[in-house]
Structure formats: structure tokens, C-alpha cells
Amino acid sequence: MIKYMITDPKYSLKETFEAIKKHKPEFICYRNKEYFDENEILQFANFAKKYSKIFINFDSLKNEKLLEMFDGVHIPSSKLNFIKEFKNKKIVIASTHNPLEVKKASVADFITFSPIFQSKNRCGLGIHVLNHICNLHPKVIALGGIVSQDQVKEIKKTKAVGFGSIRYFYKRS
């Protein structure tokens, strides 16, 4: 099962690097919607690529040249029309939240589908819906509200190829 770590700018690079070493995720996405810091992105890429396939969130890709350092790009649901621009050049992961978005993202290499569990102020869609979505795309990564090993065990019982999270990887313990 693919473990997909998504970074969050509220955690330092040091905390991010510690989480990568501890959890050894197969995929890691640099995601920062708060500010653009090319030096930080380069530091992240140089460290993380030793451990994992690395992705950059489309919204963090302010300099196209940065894409050369990454294995792929993560496209948010609001930008699904950009999938074809990256297809056949890089691995494409697309965010989806409903069957229509899954259909729009059908050519993506992987999709995330969320939220599976209660996530902040969003109700979780549940395991049953996740399994339905897995029938619509061959490589679904469950996302949303996954913070515990018990939830990971629930995901493992589905047809999903993996799970993604921010808080699961950064939690203390």
C-alpha cells in the first residue's frame, strides 16, 4: 500500500525531514499554498528524493524549471484541465472529491479521493464510497481525515492502492 505524505508549511523543513525518515512514505508531495520559497523547495527535493518519489503541488509550481527535480505533479481538483499538459512527462496525481471529478481525472496516473473520514469541517464520505470510486479509476489513493493506524487498517481493506495524509505523518508518537 502506497503511503503518500503531503507537506504543510506549518511544519518546518526539519520536522518534515524527520517525518520522512520515520515513516518512509513511497510518495511525498511538497505543498505550500501560503508562500513561495524556491530555496525551501530545492532543499525539500534534494532531501526527499533520497527516500521517495517526490511530487510538487501544482499551486506550488511558480517556476516550471523546478518540475525537473520532481517525479511528478499533484493537480488540485480546480485545475484538472491541466492534467494533459503534464501527462507523458511526469507522474500525475489528481485530487478528486466526487464521481464527476474522477471522470475528468481519468487520464491521471493516480487520483486522490477525499475526504474519506471526518476532516476538520468536512464530513467523511466513508469506506463504501471509496470502494465505489475504486471501480471508476484503477489507482485511487484515499485521503482526508486519515490520522490513525486504525483508519489505515480500514483503508487496507478497500481496493485503494494507498492512503495520503498530512497529520498522520506529522503526529507526535
Side-chain angles (χ1 to χ4, degrees):
M1 172 158 283
I2 294 168
K3 294 184 285 186
Y4 182 35
M5 177 180 171
I6 301 168
T7 68
D8 186 317
K10 76 179 180 183
Y11 299 100
S12 70
L13 275 181
K14 182 179 182 223
E15 289 171 299
T16 296
F17 297 165
E18 288 170 2
I20 291 168
K21 287 191 277 188
K22 177 181 178 184
H23 293 283
K24 297 175 182 53
E26 288 79 10
F27 291 0
I28 309 167
C29 182
Y30 178 88
R31 178 177 179 250
N32 185 338
K33 295 181 178 184
E34 293 180 16
Y35 58 86
F36 176 76
D37 182 338
E38 189 166 327
N39 185 50
E40 180 179 282
I41 294 169
L42 294 171
Q43 287 180 57
F44 165 83
N46 284 321
F47 179 86
K49 69 183 173 184
K50 296 179 219 167
Y51 294 87
S52 174
K53 289 201 180 302
I54 58 172
F55 297 81
I56 187 165
N57 186 281
F58 181 83
D59 292 330
S60 298
L61 191 58
K62 308 285 189 222
N63 174 350
E64 284 277 331
K65 194 142 179 69
L66 288 171
L67 191 59
E68 294 171 12
M69 300 199 58
F70 290 84
D71 296 296
V73 63
H74 187 128
I75 308 285
S77 59
S78 62
K79 309 268 183 2
L80 294 176
N81 54 315
F82 285 96
I83 293 173
K84 289 182 180 155
E85 181 180 322
F86 297 99
K87 189 71 177 147
N88 300 323
K89 297 177 199 167
K90 295 289 180 176
I91 301 168
V92 176
I93 300 174
S95 289
T96 65
H97 306 91
N98 59 57
L100 180 60
E101 289 176 353
V102 172
K103 185 175 180 180
K104 286 181 182 177
S106 64
V107 298
D109 298 296
F110 295 86
I111 63 168
T112 60
F113 184 76
S114 69
I116 303 307
F117 301 106
Q118 174 76 29
S119 181
K120 297 176 185 166
N121 60 350
R122 297 175 297 189
C123 287
L125 299 170
I127 297 295
H128 177 73
V129 173
L130 172 61
N131 265 325
H132 171 71
I133 295 301
C134 290
N135 292 326
L136 304 178
H137 195 282
K139 294 183 179 175
V140 178
I141 298 171
L143 185 65
I146 301 168
V147 296
S148 73
Q149 192 57 42
D150 287 341
Q151 291 167 320
V152 171
K153 286 178 187 172
E154 288 298 308
I155 299 296
K156 285 181 177 180
K157 295 175 189 174
T158 72
K159 300 172 195 170
V161 298
F163 75 95
S165 183
I166 295 171
R167 293 178 291 158
Y168 175 88
F169 294 101
Y170 286 102
K171 71 180 182 193
R172 309 266 185 236
S173 67

PDB file of all heavy atoms in Angstrom, residues 99-136:
ATOM      1  N   PRO A  99     -17.675  11.709  -8.218  1.00  0.00           N
ATOM      2  CA  PRO A  99     -17.533  10.927  -9.449  1.00  0.00           C
ATOM      3  C   PRO A  99     -17.281  11.772 -10.710  1.00  0.00           C
ATOM      4  O   PRO A  99     -16.547  11.335 -11.594  1.00  0.00           O
ATOM      5  CB  PRO A  99     -18.863  10.176  -9.547  1.00  0.00           C
ATOM      6  CG  PRO A  99     -19.309  10.033  -8.126  1.00  0.00           C
ATOM      7  CD  PRO A  99     -18.886  11.331  -7.467  1.00  0.00           C
ATOM      8  N   LEU A 100     -17.836  12.970 -10.796  1.00  0.00           N
ATOM      9  CA  LEU A 100     -17.601  13.818 -11.962  1.00  0.00           C
ATOM     10  C   LEU A 100     -16.125  14.212 -12.061  1.00  0.00           C
ATOM     11  O   LEU A 100     -15.522  14.147 -13.133  1.00  0.00           O
ATOM     12  CB  LEU A 100     -18.482  15.070 -11.917  1.00  0.00           C
ATOM     13  CG  LEU A 100     -18.334  16.040 -13.088  1.00  0.00           C
ATOM     14  CD1 LEU A 100     -18.669  15.352 -14.414  1.00  0.00           C
ATOM     15  CD2 LEU A 100     -19.237  17.247 -12.894  1.00  0.00           C
ATOM     16  N   GLU A 101     -15.525  14.584 -10.934  1.00  0.00           N
ATOM     17  CA  GLU A 101     -14.096  14.912 -10.940  1.00  0.00           C
ATOM     18  C   GLU A 101     -13.252  13.673 -11.260  1.00  0.00           C
ATOM     19  O   GLU A 101     -12.245  13.776 -11.966  1.00  0.00           O
ATOM     20  CB  GLU A 101     -13.677  15.511  -9.592  1.00  0.00           C
ATOM     21  CG  GLU A 101     -14.217  16.897  -9.371  1.00  0.00           C
ATOM     22  CD  GLU A 101     -13.898  17.471  -7.997  1.00  0.00           C
ATOM     23  OE1 GLU A 101     -13.346  16.753  -7.125  1.00  0.00           O
ATOM     24  OE2 GLU A 101     -14.214  18.659  -7.791  1.00  0.00           O
ATOM     25  N   VAL A 102     -13.673  12.510 -10.765  1.00  0.00           N
ATOM     26  CA  VAL A 102     -12.954  11.270 -11.084  1.00  0.00           C
ATOM     27  C   VAL A 102     -12.966  11.050 -12.594  1.00  0.00           C
ATOM     28  O   VAL A 102     -11.941  10.703 -13.189  1.00  0.00           O
ATOM     29  CB  VAL A 102     -13.565  10.060 -10.335  1.00  0.00           C
ATOM     30  CG1 VAL A 102     -12.948   8.749 -10.812  1.00  0.00           C
ATOM     31  CG2 VAL A 102     -13.383  10.223  -8.829  1.00  0.00           C
ATOM     32  N   LYS A 103     -14.091  11.278 -13.212  1.00  0.00           N
ATOM     33  CA  LYS A 103     -14.196  11.125 -14.677  1.00  0.00           C
ATOM     34  C   LYS A 103     -13.270  12.117 -15.388  1.00  0.00           C
ATOM     35  O   LYS A 103     -12.564  11.762 -16.330  1.00  0.00           O
ATOM     36  CB  LYS A 103     -15.645  11.324 -15.124  1.00  0.00           C
ATOM     37  CG  LYS A 103     -15.862  11.058 -16.587  1.00  0.00           C
ATOM     38  CD  LYS A 103     -17.318  11.148 -16.968  1.00  0.00           C
ATOM     39  CE  LYS A 103     -17.459  10.861 -18.449  1.00  0.00           C
ATOM     40  NZ  LYS A 103     -18.838  10.924 -18.891  1.00  0.00           N
ATOM     41  N   LYS A 104     -13.265  13.377 -14.936  1.00  0.00           N
ATOM     42  CA  LYS A 104     -12.388  14.390 -15.541  1.00  0.00           C
ATOM     43  C   LYS A 104     -10.913  14.035 -15.369  1.00  0.00           C
ATOM     44  O   LYS A 104     -10.079  14.417 -16.180  1.00  0.00           O
ATOM     45  CB  LYS A 104     -12.639  15.769 -14.908  1.00  0.00           C
ATOM     46  CG  LYS A 104     -13.925  16.423 -15.326  1.00  0.00           C
ATOM     47  CD  LYS A 104     -14.058  17.790 -14.659  1.00  0.00           C
ATOM     48  CE  LYS A 104     -15.353  18.451 -15.019  1.00  0.00           C
ATOM     49  NZ  LYS A 104     -15.519  19.740 -14.321  1.00  0.00           N
ATOM     50  N   ALA A 105     -10.591  13.303 -14.302  1.00  0.00           N
ATOM     51  CA  ALA A 105      -9.204  12.945 -13.999  1.00  0.00           C
ATOM     52  C   ALA A 105      -8.851  11.539 -14.492  1.00  0.00           C
ATOM     53  O   ALA A 105      -7.823  10.983 -14.097  1.00  0.00           O
ATOM     54  CB  ALA A 105      -8.969  13.049 -12.496  1.00  0.00           C
ATOM     55  N   SER A 106      -9.639  10.980 -15.375  1.00  0.00           N
ATOM     56  CA  SER A 106      -9.451   9.577 -15.779  1.00  0.00           C
ATOM     57  C   SER A 106      -8.087   9.280 -16.379  1.00  0.00           C
ATOM     58  O   SER A 106      -7.599   8.163 -16.278  1.00  0.00           O
ATOM     59  CB  SER A 106     -10.558   9.153 -16.750  1.00  0.00           C
ATOM     60  OG  SER A 106     -10.464   9.916 -17.951  1.00  0.00           O
ATOM     61  N   VAL A 107      -7.435  10.262 -16.990  1.00  0.00           N
ATOM     62  CA  VAL A 107      -6.121  10.013 -17.601  1.00  0.00           C
ATOM     63  C   VAL A 107      -4.966  10.209 -16.614  1.00  0.00           C
ATOM     64  O   VAL A 107      -3.819   9.936 -16.956  1.00  0.00           O
ATOM     65  CB  VAL A 107      -5.883  10.866 -18.871  1.00  0.00           C
ATOM     66  CG1 VAL A 107      -6.913  10.536 -19.943  1.00  0.00           C
ATOM     67  CG2 VAL A 107      -5.877  12.338 -18.553  1.00  0.00           C
ATOM     68  N   ALA A 108      -5.253  10.671 -15.418  1.00  0.00           N
ATOM     69  CA  ALA A 108      -4.198  10.825 -14.408  1.00  0.00           C
ATOM     70  C   ALA A 108      -3.663   9.452 -14.029  1.00  0.00           C
ATOM     71  O   ALA A 108      -4.393   8.454 -14.047  1.00  0.00           O
ATOM     72  CB  ALA A 108      -4.742  11.544 -13.172  1.00  0.00           C
ATOM     73  N   ASP A 109      -2.390   9.398 -13.670  1.00  0.00           N
ATOM     74  CA  ASP A 109      -1.794   8.131 -13.259  1.00  0.00           C
ATOM     75  C   ASP A 109      -2.396   7.631 -11.950  1.00  0.00           C
ATOM     76  O   ASP A 109      -2.609   6.433 -11.775  1.00  0.00           O
ATOM     77  CB  ASP A 109      -0.271   8.291 -13.107  1.00  0.00           C
ATOM     78  CG  ASP A 109       0.374   8.674 -14.426  1.00  0.00           C
ATOM     79  OD1 ASP A 109       0.314   7.859 -15.369  1.00  0.00           O
ATOM     80  OD2 ASP A 109       0.922   9.789 -14.514  1.00  0.00           O
ATOM     81  N   PHE A 110      -2.640   8.559 -11.029  1.00  0.00           N
ATOM     82  CA  PHE A 110      -3.264   8.271  -9.737  1.00  0.00           C
ATOM     83  C   PHE A 110      -4.258   9.384  -9.458  1.00  0.00           C
ATOM     84  O   PHE A 110      -4.099  10.505  -9.944  1.00  0.00           O
ATOM     85  CB  PHE A 110      -2.233   8.290  -8.596  1.00  0.00           C
ATOM     86  CG  PHE A 110      -1.186   7.225  -8.673  1.00  0.00           C
ATOM     87  CD1 PHE A 110      -0.031   7.406  -9.419  1.00  0.00           C
ATOM     88  CD2 PHE A 110      -1.345   6.031  -7.979  1.00  0.00           C
ATOM     89  CE1 PHE A 110       0.953   6.428  -9.491  1.00  0.00           C
ATOM     90  CE2 PHE A 110      -0.363   5.042  -8.039  1.00  0.00           C
ATOM     91  CZ  PHE A 110       0.785   5.243  -8.798  1.00  0.00           C
ATOM     92  N   ILE A 111      -5.268   9.071  -8.652  1.00  0.00           N
ATOM     93  CA  ILE A 111      -6.131  10.126  -8.114  1.00  0.00           C
ATOM     94  C   ILE A 111      -6.148   9.988  -6.594  1.00  0.00           C
ATOM     95  O   ILE A 111      -5.973   8.898  -6.060  1.00  0.00           O
ATOM     96  CB  ILE A 111      -7.578  10.079  -8.657  1.00  0.00           C
ATOM     97  CG1 ILE A 111      -8.295   8.788  -8.245  1.00  0.00           C
ATOM     98  CG2 ILE A 111      -7.599  10.297 -10.169  1.00  0.00           C
ATOM     99  CD1 ILE A 111      -9.798   8.800  -8.485  1.00  0.00           C
ATOM    100  N   THR A 112      -6.308  11.120  -5.935  1.00  0.00           N
ATOM    101  CA  THR A 112      -6.669  11.075  -4.526  1.00  0.00           C
ATOM    102  C   THR A 112      -8.165  11.275  -4.486  1.00  0.00           C
ATOM    103  O   THR A 112      -8.744  11.982  -5.326  1.00  0.00           O
ATOM    104  CB  THR A 112      -5.962  12.157  -3.686  1.00  0.00           C
ATOM    105  OG1 THR A 112      -6.306  13.447  -4.183  1.00  0.00           O
ATOM    106  CG2 THR A 112      -4.454  11.960  -3.696  1.00  0.00           C
ATOM    107  N   PHE A 113      -8.812  10.644  -3.533  1.00  0.00           N
ATOM    108  CA  PHE A 113     -10.243  10.841  -3.337  1.00  0.00           C
ATOM    109  C   PHE A 113     -10.463  11.169  -1.877  1.00  0.00           C
ATOM    110  O   PHE A 113      -9.987  10.457  -0.992  1.00  0.00           O
ATOM    111  CB  PHE A 113     -11.045   9.595  -3.736  1.00  0.00           C
ATOM    112  CG  PHE A 113     -12.521   9.823  -3.629  1.00  0.00           C
ATOM    113  CD1 PHE A 113     -13.179  10.574  -4.585  1.00  0.00           C
ATOM    114  CD2 PHE A 113     -13.238   9.333  -2.548  1.00  0.00           C
ATOM    115  CE1 PHE A 113     -14.541  10.825  -4.476  1.00  0.00           C
ATOM    116  CE2 PHE A 113     -14.588   9.578  -2.424  1.00  0.00           C
ATOM    117  CZ  PHE A 113     -15.245  10.325  -3.393  1.00  0.00           C
ATOM    118  N   SER A 114     -11.180  12.284  -1.653  1.00  0.00           N
ATOM    119  CA  SER A 114     -11.370  12.739  -0.274  1.00  0.00           C
ATOM    120  C   SER A 114     -12.662  13.528  -0.108  1.00  0.00           C
ATOM    121  O   SER A 114     -13.236  13.982  -1.095  1.00  0.00           O
ATOM    122  CB  SER A 114     -10.181  13.612   0.141  1.00  0.00           C
ATOM    123  OG  SER A 114     -10.187  14.834  -0.544  1.00  0.00           O
ATOM    124  N   PRO A 115     -13.048  13.713   1.168  1.00  0.00           N
ATOM    125  CA  PRO A 115     -12.488  13.144   2.390  1.00  0.00           C
ATOM    126  C   PRO A 115     -13.129  11.794   2.705  1.00  0.00           C
ATOM    127  O   PRO A 115     -14.336  11.628   2.595  1.00  0.00           O
ATOM    128  CB  PRO A 115     -12.840  14.176   3.453  1.00  0.00           C
ATOM    129  CG  PRO A 115     -14.145  14.761   2.992  1.00  0.00           C
ATOM    130  CD  PRO A 115     -14.081  14.726   1.474  1.00  0.00           C
ATOM    131  N   ILE A 116     -12.323  10.851   3.106  1.00  0.00           N
ATOM    132  CA  ILE A 116     -12.834   9.528   3.477  1.00  0.00           C
ATOM    133  C   ILE A 116     -13.395   9.563   4.894  1.00  0.00           C
ATOM    134  O   ILE A 116     -14.474   9.050   5.160  1.00  0.00           O
ATOM    135  CB  ILE A 116     -11.720   8.456   3.374  1.00  0.00           C
ATOM    136  CG1 ILE A 116     -11.129   8.437   1.957  1.00  0.00           C
ATOM    137  CG2 ILE A 116     -12.257   7.071   3.769  1.00  0.00           C
ATOM    138  CD1 ILE A 116     -12.143   8.287   0.831  1.00  0.00           C
ATOM    139  N   PHE A 117     -12.641  10.154   5.804  1.00  0.00           N
ATOM    140  CA  PHE A 117     -13.080  10.285   7.193  1.00  0.00           C
ATOM    141  C   PHE A 117     -13.325  11.755   7.502  1.00  0.00           C
ATOM    142  O   PHE A 117     -12.912  12.639   6.744  1.00  0.00           O
ATOM    143  CB  PHE A 117     -12.015   9.714   8.142  1.00  0.00           C
ATOM    144  CG  PHE A 117     -11.710   8.266   7.894  1.00  0.00           C
ATOM    145  CD1 PHE A 117     -10.528   7.882   7.271  1.00  0.00           C
ATOM    146  CD2 PHE A 117     -12.605   7.270   8.264  1.00  0.00           C
ATOM    147  CE1 PHE A 117     -10.237   6.546   7.033  1.00  0.00           C
ATOM    148  CE2 PHE A 117     -12.333   5.927   8.021  1.00  0.00           C
ATOM    149  CZ  PHE A 117     -11.144   5.570   7.406  1.00  0.00           C
ATOM    150  N   GLN A 118     -13.993  12.019   8.622  1.00  0.00           N
ATOM    151  CA  GLN A 118     -14.212  13.392   9.076  1.00  0.00           C
ATOM    152  C   GLN A 118     -12.876  14.137   9.033  1.00  0.00           C
ATOM    153  O   GLN A 118     -11.892  13.676   9.581  1.00  0.00           O
ATOM    154  CB  GLN A 118     -14.775  13.389  10.500  1.00  0.00           C
ATOM    155  CG  GLN A 118     -14.909  14.742  11.132  1.00  0.00           C
ATOM    156  CD  GLN A 118     -16.088  15.524  10.615  1.00  0.00           C
ATOM    157  OE1 GLN A 118     -17.085  14.942  10.209  1.00  0.00           O
ATOM    158  NE2 GLN A 118     -15.993  16.833  10.615  1.00  0.00           N
ATOM    159  N   SER A 119     -12.851  15.262   8.352  1.00  0.00           N
ATOM    160  CA  SER A 119     -11.602  16.013   8.201  1.00  0.00           C
ATOM    161  C   SER A 119     -11.884  17.480   8.452  1.00  0.00           C
ATOM    162  O   SER A 119     -12.516  18.139   7.634  1.00  0.00           O
ATOM    163  CB  SER A 119     -11.047  15.809   6.790  1.00  0.00           C
ATOM    164  OG  SER A 119      -9.844  16.509   6.625  1.00  0.00           O
ATOM    165  N   LYS A 120     -11.406  17.950   9.591  1.00  0.00           N
ATOM    166  CA  LYS A 120     -11.636  19.335  10.012  1.00  0.00           C
ATOM    167  C   LYS A 120     -13.128  19.623   9.953  1.00  0.00           C
ATOM    168  O   LYS A 120     -13.887  19.058  10.698  1.00  0.00           O
ATOM    169  CB  LYS A 120     -10.784  20.293   9.192  1.00  0.00           C
ATOM    170  CG  LYS A 120      -9.304  20.039   9.406  1.00  0.00           C
ATOM    171  CD  LYS A 120      -8.438  20.909   8.535  1.00  0.00           C
ATOM    172  CE  LYS A 120      -6.995  20.492   8.724  1.00  0.00           C
ATOM    173  NZ  LYS A 120      -6.109  21.010   7.755  1.00  0.00           N
ATOM    174  N   ASN A 121     -13.585  20.448   9.024  1.00  0.00           N
ATOM    175  CA  ASN A 121     -15.010  20.811   8.992  1.00  0.00           C
ATOM    176  C   ASN A 121     -15.774  20.068   7.896  1.00  0.00           C
ATOM    177  O   ASN A 121     -16.896  20.422   7.574  1.00  0.00           O
ATOM    178  CB  ASN A 121     -15.170  22.326   8.816  1.00  0.00           C
ATOM    179  CG  ASN A 121     -14.534  22.825   7.534  1.00  0.00           C
ATOM    180  OD1 ASN A 121     -13.815  22.096   6.856  1.00  0.00           O
ATOM    181  ND2 ASN A 121     -14.783  24.076   7.196  1.00  0.00           N
ATOM    182  N   ARG A 122     -15.178  19.015   7.313  1.00  0.00           N
ATOM    183  CA  ARG A 122     -15.837  18.270   6.242  1.00  0.00           C
ATOM    184  C   ARG A 122     -16.229  16.872   6.714  1.00  0.00           C
ATOM    185  O   ARG A 122     -15.437  16.194   7.358  1.00  0.00           O
ATOM    186  CB  ARG A 122     -14.915  18.155   5.022  1.00  0.00           C
ATOM    187  CG  ARG A 122     -14.590  19.512   4.403  1.00  0.00           C
ATOM    188  CD  ARG A 122     -13.588  19.375   3.294  1.00  0.00           C
ATOM    189  NE  ARG A 122     -12.351  18.856   3.874  1.00  0.00           N
ATOM    190  CZ  ARG A 122     -11.209  18.757   3.241  1.00  0.00           C
ATOM    191  NH1 ARG A 122     -11.125  19.122   1.997  1.00  0.00           N
ATOM    192  NH2 ARG A 122     -10.138  18.277   3.832  1.00  0.00           N
ATOM    193  N   CYS A 123     -17.438  16.473   6.361  1.00  0.00           N
ATOM    194  CA  CYS A 123     -17.900  15.127   6.702  1.00  0.00           C
ATOM    195  C   CYS A 123     -17.199  14.108   5.822  1.00  0.00           C
ATOM    196  O   CYS A 123     -17.019  14.330   4.629  1.00  0.00           O
ATOM    197  CB  CYS A 123     -19.407  15.005   6.470  1.00  0.00           C
ATOM    198  SG  CYS A 123     -20.366  15.863   7.705  1.00  0.00           S
ATOM    199  N   GLY A 124     -16.817  13.002   6.416  1.00  0.00           N
ATOM    200  CA  GLY A 124     -16.193  11.934   5.649  1.00  0.00           C
ATOM    201  C   GLY A 124     -17.215  11.220   4.777  1.00  0.00           C
ATOM    202  O   GLY A 124     -18.362  11.040   5.166  1.00  0.00           O
ATOM    203  N   LEU A 125     -16.779  10.810   3.588  1.00  0.00           N
ATOM    204  CA  LEU A 125     -17.659  10.116   2.653  1.00  0.00           C
ATOM    205  C   LEU A 125     -17.722   8.622   2.942  1.00  0.00           C
ATOM    206  O   LEU A 125     -18.651   7.951   2.514  1.00  0.00           O
ATOM    207  CB  LEU A 125     -17.197  10.366   1.217  1.00  0.00           C
ATOM    208  CG  LEU A 125     -17.229  11.845   0.799  1.00  0.00           C
ATOM    209  CD1 LEU A 125     -16.530  12.046  -0.534  1.00  0.00           C
ATOM    210  CD2 LEU A 125     -18.654  12.348   0.748  1.00  0.00           C
ATOM    211  N   GLY A 126     -16.719   8.094   3.621  1.00  0.00           N
ATOM    212  CA  GLY A 126     -16.762   6.708   4.066  1.00  0.00           C
ATOM    213  C   GLY A 126     -16.099   5.709   3.137  1.00  0.00           C
ATOM    214  O   GLY A 126     -15.812   5.976   1.973  1.00  0.00           O
ATOM    215  N   ILE A 127     -15.878   4.531   3.697  1.00  0.00           N
ATOM    216  CA  ILE A 127     -15.214   3.423   3.009  1.00  0.00           C
ATOM    217  C   ILE A 127     -16.054   2.911   1.837  1.00  0.00           C
ATOM    218  O   ILE A 127     -15.533   2.560   0.782  1.00  0.00           O
ATOM    219  CB  ILE A 127     -14.906   2.282   4.013  1.00  0.00           C
ATOM    220  CG1 ILE A 127     -13.922   2.754   5.085  1.00  0.00           C
ATOM    221  CG2 ILE A 127     -14.408   1.038   3.306  1.00  0.00           C
ATOM    222  CD1 ILE A 127     -12.539   3.111   4.590  1.00  0.00           C
ATOM    223  N   HIS A 128     -17.363   2.859   2.014  1.00  0.00           N
ATOM    224  CA  HIS A 128     -18.249   2.356   0.947  1.00  0.00           C
ATOM    225  C   HIS A 128     -18.112   3.220  -0.312  1.00  0.00           C
ATOM    226  O   HIS A 128     -17.979   2.695  -1.427  1.00  0.00           O
ATOM    227  CB  HIS A 128     -19.704   2.327   1.437  1.00  0.00           C
ATOM    228  CG  HIS A 128     -20.674   1.889   0.392  1.00  0.00           C
ATOM    229  ND1 HIS A 128     -20.767   0.581  -0.022  1.00  0.00           N
ATOM    230  CD2 HIS A 128     -21.558   2.598  -0.351  1.00  0.00           C
ATOM    231  CE1 HIS A 128     -21.686   0.506  -0.969  1.00  0.00           C
ATOM    232  NE2 HIS A 128     -22.180   1.706  -1.183  1.00  0.00           N
ATOM    233  N   VAL A 129     -18.120   4.524  -0.144  1.00  0.00           N
ATOM    234  CA  VAL A 129     -17.967   5.438  -1.287  1.00  0.00           C
ATOM    235  C   VAL A 129     -16.569   5.286  -1.897  1.00  0.00           C
ATOM    236  O   VAL A 129     -16.410   5.266  -3.118  1.00  0.00           O
ATOM    237  CB  VAL A 129     -18.246   6.902  -0.878  1.00  0.00           C
ATOM    238  CG1 VAL A 129     -17.932   7.873  -2.013  1.00  0.00           C
ATOM    239  CG2 VAL A 129     -19.701   7.062  -0.439  1.00  0.00           C
ATOM    240  N   LEU A 130     -15.552   5.147  -1.041  1.00  0.00           N
ATOM    241  CA  LEU A 130     -14.192   4.938  -1.534  1.00  0.00           C
ATOM    242  C   LEU A 130     -14.134   3.705  -2.436  1.00  0.00           C
ATOM    243  O   LEU A 130     -13.556   3.753  -3.533  1.00  0.00           O
ATOM    244  CB  LEU A 130     -13.215   4.791  -0.365  1.00  0.00           C
ATOM    245  CG  LEU A 130     -11.784   4.390  -0.727  1.00  0.00           C
ATOM    246  CD1 LEU A 130     -11.119   5.433  -1.628  1.00  0.00           C
ATOM    247  CD2 LEU A 130     -10.966   4.178   0.542  1.00  0.00           C
ATOM    248  N   ASN A 131     -14.739   2.595  -2.013  1.00  0.00           N
ATOM    249  CA  ASN A 131     -14.731   1.381  -2.839  1.00  0.00           C
ATOM    250  C   ASN A 131     -15.438   1.608  -4.168  1.00  0.00           C
ATOM    251  O   ASN A 131     -15.000   1.104  -5.204  1.00  0.00           O
ATOM    252  CB  ASN A 131     -15.339   0.198  -2.096  1.00  0.00           C
ATOM    253  CG  ASN A 131     -14.288  -0.632  -1.412  1.00  0.00           C
ATOM    254  OD1 ASN A 131     -13.174  -0.789  -1.913  1.00  0.00           O
ATOM    255  ND2 ASN A 131     -14.617  -1.175  -0.258  1.00  0.00           N
ATOM    256  N   HIS A 132     -16.518   2.367  -4.161  1.00  0.00           N
ATOM    257  CA  HIS A 132     -17.210   2.697  -5.414  1.00  0.00           C
ATOM    258  C   HIS A 132     -16.272   3.475  -6.344  1.00  0.00           C
ATOM    259  O   HIS A 132     -16.166   3.176  -7.535  1.00  0.00           O
ATOM    260  CB  HIS A 132     -18.485   3.503  -5.136  1.00  0.00           C
ATOM    261  CG  HIS A 132     -19.111   4.044  -6.372  1.00  0.00           C
ATOM    262  ND1 HIS A 132     -19.739   3.241  -7.295  1.00  0.00           N
ATOM    263  CD2 HIS A 132     -19.173   5.308  -6.856  1.00  0.00           C
ATOM    264  CE1 HIS A 132     -20.169   3.996  -8.314  1.00  0.00           C
ATOM    265  NE2 HIS A 132     -19.839   5.252  -8.057  1.00  0.00           N
ATOM    266  N   ILE A 133     -15.570   4.456  -5.807  1.00  0.00           N
ATOM    267  CA  ILE A 133     -14.643   5.270  -6.600  1.00  0.00           C
ATOM    268  C   ILE A 133     -13.513   4.397  -7.150  1.00  0.00           C
ATOM    269  O   ILE A 133     -13.052   4.598  -8.279  1.00  0.00           O
ATOM    270  CB  ILE A 133     -14.101   6.452  -5.764  1.00  0.00           C
ATOM    271  CG1 ILE A 133     -15.238   7.415  -5.400  1.00  0.00           C
ATOM    272  CG2 ILE A 133     -12.970   7.172  -6.483  1.00  0.00           C
ATOM    273  CD1 ILE A 133     -15.986   8.030  -6.567  1.00  0.00           C
ATOM    274  N   CYS A 134     -13.093   3.412  -6.384  1.00  0.00           N
ATOM    275  CA  CYS A 134     -12.032   2.499  -6.846  1.00  0.00           C
ATOM    276  C   CYS A 134     -12.467   1.694  -8.073  1.00  0.00           C
ATOM    277  O   CYS A 134     -11.618   1.195  -8.822  1.00  0.00           O
ATOM    278  CB  CYS A 134     -11.600   1.565  -5.728  1.00  0.00           C
ATOM    279  SG  CYS A 134     -10.691   2.383  -4.393  1.00  0.00           S
ATOM    280  N   ASN A 135     -13.768   1.569  -8.292  1.00  0.00           N
ATOM    281  CA  ASN A 135     -14.265   0.923  -9.513  1.00  0.00           C
ATOM    282  C   ASN A 135     -14.215   1.862 -10.712  1.00  0.00           C
ATOM    283  O   ASN A 135     -14.330   1.416 -11.851  1.00  0.00           O
ATOM    284  CB  ASN A 135     -15.704   0.434  -9.315  1.00  0.00           C
ATOM    285  CG  ASN A 135     -15.777  -0.711  -8.325  1.00  0.00           C
ATOM    286  OD1 ASN A 135     -14.871  -1.535  -8.249  1.00  0.00           O
ATOM    287  ND2 ASN A 135     -16.844  -0.753  -7.549  1.00  0.00           N
ATOM    288  N   LEU A 136     -14.053   3.165 -10.465  1.00  0.00           N
ATOM    289  CA  LEU A 136     -14.040   4.161 -11.541  1.00  0.00           C
ATOM    290  C   LEU A 136     -12.633   4.525 -11.998  1.00  0.00           C
ATOM    291  O   LEU A 136     -12.455   5.059 -13.098  1.00  0.00           O
ATOM    292  CB  LEU A 136     -14.763   5.439 -11.083  1.00  0.00           C
ATOM    293  CG  LEU A 136     -16.204   5.272 -10.601  1.00  0.00           C
ATOM    294  CD1 LEU A 136     -16.756   6.614 -10.136  1.00  0.00           C
ATOM    295  CD2 LEU A 136     -17.069   4.669 -11.696  1.00  0.00           C
TER     296      LEU A 136
END
